[in-house]
Amino acid sequence: MLKMRILICGIVMWVGISTASAAVQQVDFGGLEWFQIKGKHFIVYFQNGDDQSMANTALSRAEGYYQNVGELIGHTRYSDFWTWDDRAKIFIFADRNAFSSVTGAPLWSTGYSDRDSFLFKSRVVVTYRQEEAFYDSILPHEVTHLILHDFIKQSNVPVWLDEAVAQMYERSKHEKADRLCKALLANGQIIPLEFLNRWDIRGEQDSKKVEIFYLQSLSVVRFLYREYGVDSFHRFFRELRDGKSIDDALRSAYTGKIHSLGELQQRWVDFLKRP
């Protein structure tokens, strides 16, 4: 695989260029026939042979995100994982209806990831054929969830932080997140981080609340990354990996600067007030 190094929004990205070829494979669920393309860390399955170019793009982007996300959270030995029989799988159904009928996902769902999928028997990202946003939004989001949950037990990562990190490579959201949070601050509608830290958004039906939850979470984590540097960011996630609470992890990683969620909130709010 060829690799190209680019810098986006202060985050180094490696983009893989796949040279794999496709082969037909019959899988053991749904009676469906799939084409497959294999990379070093992923196997992409797709239903329509005419979609080989699309699948190649998905594979090369996924391989790039694999390295990027590991570097982002300080998972520096991650390149040796997910190889050969342990590769993660990406299933791209031909359309939304096929995706929903086989997986049981609701029709509003655009995709999901699962570290120990019962249906697909491995780490998977499951979605359906979509527009360009798939490569820059859904794919990096779901790959990040898988990698983060390999590095840190999911139970040790608050939902807001899990979703914030999963959005770090969704570049279209970055400016929108800070812009929305500045408006929320001006209107006295910022969500206190102590409350955000306890909120499991996955059962929320109000789309506006969901949007605010996601974008505020992203803004806070980008603030940590940009303002205090990569080394402290990596240490923060290592402390969470080792089982520390979020307050203790902040205190250890940002010694003398941030001692709690409340202090993080104040420093983030001060940042939003800058002209």
Side-chain angles (χ1 to χ4, degrees):
M1 174 179 289
L2 303 176
K3 292 182 179 177
M4 178 172 62
R5 183 178 186 271
I6 59 177
L7 185 68
I8 298 176
C9 299
I11 302 175
V12 174
M13 296 188 66
W14 290 89
V15 178
I17 304 173
S18 175
T19 57
S21 59
V24 176
Q25 177 180 352
Q26 193 76 34
V27 295
D28 62 357
F29 65 92
L32 303 175
E33 185 178 79
W34 297 82
F35 295 91
Q36 71 169 5
I37 296 176
K38 293 184 177 181
K40 182 177 181 180
H41 302 104
F42 295 89
I43 304 174
V44 177
Y45 295 89
F46 56 106
Q47 291 189 303
N48 190 333
D50 293 336
D51 287 339
Q52 182 171 338
S53 175
M54 176 268 296
N56 269 309
T57 301
L59 178 61
S60 66
R61 297 283 186 94
E63 293 286 356
Y65 291 131
Y66 178 93
Q67 179 167 335
N68 297 335
V69 174
E71 292 177 354
L72 174 67
I73 62 175
H75 204 351
T76 54
R77 300 179 63 185
Y78 204 65
S79 60
D80 295 333
F81 298 168
W82 292 20
T83 54
W84 300 104
D85 292 340
D86 204 30
R87 282 176 286 200
K89 298 178 175 63
I90 300 172
F91 284 87
I92 306 176
F93 283 86
D95 54 47
R96 184 193 297 264
N97 287 334
F99 162 73
S100 181
S101 64
V102 172
T103 66
L107 285 174
W108 50 260
S109 175
T110 57
Y112 67 86
S113 59
D114 194 336
R115 188 171 180 271
D116 300 297
S117 169
F118 172 78
L119 180 60
F120 295 97
K121 306 296 191 296
S122 73
R123 300 179 188 87
V124 291
V125 173
V126 189
T127 185
Y128 56 90
R129 197 184 193 289
Q130 299 175 60
E131 301 303 320
E132 182 66 23
F134 164 70
Y135 304 118
D136 298 325
S137 180
I138 297 169
L139 184 61
H141 189 108
E142 301 303 342
V143 168
T144 300
H145 278 314
L146 289 178
I147 293 173
L148 185 62
H149 299 163
D150 262 11
F151 186 46
I152 307 172
K153 290 182 180 179
Q154 189 171 356
S155 59
N156 289 351
V157 185
V159 175
W160 75 272
L161 184 60
D162 195 355
E163 295 301 342
V165 176
Q167 295 174 90
M168 285 290 279
Y169 286 105
E170 294 185 70
R171 300 184 302 277
S172 62
K173 290 186 176 181
H174 288 190
E175 289 186 9
K176 181 180 180 182
D178 287 345
R179 201 166 53 243
L180 173 67
C181 289
K182 286 177 184 288
L184 291 173
L185 180 62
N187 294 323
Q189 296 177 319
I190 287 291
I191 304 170
L193 293 192
E194 292 283 358
F195 179 81
L196 195 76
N197 197 52
R198 300 191 300 269
W199 191 5
D200 188 342
I201 195 66
R202 291 170 292 189
E204 180 58 57
Q205 299 298 314
D206 187 324
S207 60
K208 185 61 177 176
K209 289 181 180 179
V210 171
E211 180 184 34
I212 292 172
F213 177 94
Y214 273 78
L215 293 181
Q216 179 173 325
S217 299
L218 174 59
S219 180
V220 172
V221 168
R222 287 189 69 233
F223 163 74
L224 278 177
Y225 184 87
R226 291 178 291 176
E227 292 296 303
Y228 297 102
V230 173
D231 289 344
S232 294
F233 198 75
H234 287 175
R235 184 172 179 184
F236 175 54
F237 284 96
R238 288 197 301 270
E239 299 289 347
L240 291 172
R241 176 200 62 191
D242 293 342
K244 288 191 176 179
S245 69
I246 194 154
D247 276 347
D248 287 343
L250 286 169
R251 194 174 299 115
S252 296
Y254 299 94
T255 305
K257 299 172 184 176
I258 301 173
H259 298 90
S260 65
L261 277 172
E263 190 167 354
L264 170 58
Q265 176 173 319
Q266 185 56 56
R267 291 182 178 273
W268 171 65
V269 165
D270 291 343
F271 162 77
L272 292 176
K273 290 178 178 177
R274 293 179 194 172

